[in-house]
Amino acid sequence: MTTTRRQFLTYSSAFVATSAVALDALAQGAAGLAQSGLVGALDGSEVVTDPAAVPHKFQEAPELAELVRQGKLPPVAQRLPEEPLVLKPLNSVGKYGGVWRRGFVGPGDGENGNRINASDKLLFWDYTGNKIIPSIAKSVDQSEDGKITRVALRKGMKWSDGAPFTADDFVFWFEDIYSNREIVPTGIADLSPAGKPGKIVKIDEATVEFQFEVPYFLLREMLAGDTLIGGGMSVGMYQNRSFGCYAPKHYLKQFLPKYSSEDEVNKMARAQGFENWVRMLHNKKDWNLNIDLPVIGPWKTTKPINTPTWVMERNPFYYAVDTEGNQLPYINQVVMTLAEDLEVLNLRAMAGQYDMQERHIDIAKLPVILENRDRGGYDVHLDLAFNGSDTTIHFNQSYTADPEIAKWLTNADFRRALSLAIDRDQLNQTFWLGLGKPGSTAPAESMPQCPGKEWLSKWSTLDLAQANKMLDGLGLTKKDDDGYRLRSDNGQRLRLEVQTVRAFLPWPQQLEMVAQHWRRAGIYAEVKEMERVLAFTRTQNNEHHIHVWTNGGTELLYLFPRHAIPVDPTEAFMGPEFAKWFSSNGRLGREPADPNWKRIYEMFRSAAGQKDDERNKTAQEIWKILVDQQYSIGTVGQSPALMGVRLVNRKLGNIPSRACIAQHCRTPGSSRPETFFYKS
């Protein structure tokens, strides 16, 4: 049974009453977390790389064994690659069966499933988020000069429909999809180190090479990250994307003009209700939408995301086994039910109607969630993030529509003053229950790219007197009757528009509080809540003053830089015109005049050809500039707020005490959900 909004309103008053008895640890804030039992040590299943430990006998789920008996599937040993990926489960070998119940919020929530199927990548990260491990690829090796990266695939590996998965699927993606400008209008930086395009070449059926003119030592990390080249089909091929570095040639070629004619595929497209063959192709290669699309991940869609119930079933050809030779995944199905809104989703989670949910869980409801653990039959885990700021105030550096506003958005001391005027402790206590760390945008000290402890707080502690002094020093001394500073060009009130959306956190309410802080410095901020698509359209069109979002993913800067550096025009909150310029190698957009941006871009480009230690030092230097310039103001981070409040059915096994929730870990992907199982 699911819970409706009406039931939510009926039950919520009872839940709120229980929240008055919050745990002592929460009352103590972050200081009490260690004693709360809610934050464990990072743990998870491990990849077994010793060839001698690979099982020689294999077992399968009873449902698949029955299909084998009926002649509808080949035996399990024939469905697995010659050298399957072997996972040592966290606690024990699991049992087959069960349905993982989960919530989602509509067709735009594809990441909800992408993250569960995140093992469809060449390489992955272990449960710590700090070690690259094999995945689809058996091994990845680089030449001494860094110009060639050779990928050894798993011989005999198959798509979910039983067709061979080979080097041809990589060449097909590169030549027929990525290089077709009707499908992909411009190339991606992931395949163009130093602006020089590379290529993918078949060596043999189970070997491909990424070949470049310049050193590209970063590529191995990129292939493991949540990147356009390394995200796998789950990330690379959904919502009109055409990336991920491989695609099922045997299936998708029927939708391309090259293999018949443009008239033929357009005729097919129109017959299926699509405008043209390109629109049809985008639908056919989206695993969230197309139930016929062959996949590599542990589960495949059998009922699409644009329905009230999104259903995924076990992939009978999944390439991984446990240490006893049981083909994974253990769980039969993942069933996501559509929630009317986030309030209803949270109530359903608290009522025990989901088996594991961390996405869309509201940290503000944590006291209520904790009080209802026994009633809902779940445990609660708090997974702390590594990024610096869950709520990040991004200043548009390429804004030009109003020269007066542009002058202040691009003034470093103006941005620094606004940062010094923010009371982060008040934000932390009010919206994070004291569980976050106030500070800058820089990543946690435990991350290899952290620039140093002092940079975690630089320009990021409350100093209202200094903020006012700096604003006065900029010449903003005239104020209106309400105490707000006046524009320098026409004497009217200086008004900043702050664009917010209601997504992972209550950003509109948080920024209303920040606006009150800025008021004490004489700065008027108009907080505008917008629908997400509209807000993103405005940022892409360079129309916004300030946009509020997280900087999640920047804990490893090169793998997900868009929330720190404007390099991707789809999400370039700090300067969409600069992102166009960078991504097009100067053909589009506008070159930044600020020498700091030029230095950042130079270092960012050069890092691709650097080895690990040097590359991390380069990232540290980039962070020092970003923090000093305050292009984006950090508030509170390193918290469980975004995807770290995890509710887990007590019947589930192999659940980690603490999960890595960094972007590259693909929460819950690096916890290896294919090893989760129902104990009873």
Side-chain angles (χ1 to χ4, degrees), residues 121-143:
K121 299 154 49 63
L122 282 174
L123 298 170
F124 209 179
W125 297 83
D126 74 345
Y127 61 84
T128 69
N130 284 313
K131 179 182 177 183
I132 295 176
I133 55 176
S135 193
I136 288 175
K138 184 178 69 174
S139 64
V140 174
D141 299 299
Q142 291 184 317
S143 61

Side-chain angles (χ1 to χ4, degrees), residues 284-329:
K284 297 299 184 182
K285 60 183 172 54
D286 188 331
W287 83 277
N288 295 340
L289 292 171
N290 182 11
I291 64 174
D292 296 323
L293 178 70
V295 299
I296 293 298
W299 292 277
K300 74 179 301 288
T301 292
T302 55
K303 194 171 181 182
I305 191 173
N306 56 357
T307 63
T309 307
W310 182 13
V311 180
M312 293 159 253
E313 293 187 357
R314 176 192 286 112
N315 174 4
F317 292 88
Y318 188 55
Y319 65 94
V321 300
D322 66 19
T323 45
E324 293 187 3
N326 298 298
Q327 187 188 29
L328 299 170

Side-chain angles (χ1 to χ4, degrees), residues 257-294:
K258 174 181 176 180
Y259 296 90
S260 56
S261 69
E262 188 159 348
D263 286 343
E264 194 71 25
V265 289
N266 276 330
K267 182 179 177 181
M268 184 193 308
R270 288 191 292 270
Q272 297 185 35
F274 298 102
E275 180 183 353
N276 53 47
W277 71 266
V278 176
R279 298 308 310 161
M280 176 176 64
L281 179 68
H282 284 314
N283 176 274
K284 297 299 184 182
K285 60 183 172 54
D286 188 331
W287 83 277
N288 295 340
L289 292 171
N290 182 11
I291 64 174
D292 296 323
L293 178 70

Side-chain angles (χ1 to χ4, degrees), residues 107-111 237-241 282 285-286 288-289:
D109 199 13
E111 273 288 79
M237 291 286 190
Y238 91 115
Q239 291 184 347
N240 298 331
R241 297 183 184 186
H282 284 314
K285 60 183 172 54
D286 188 331
N288 295 340
L289 292 171

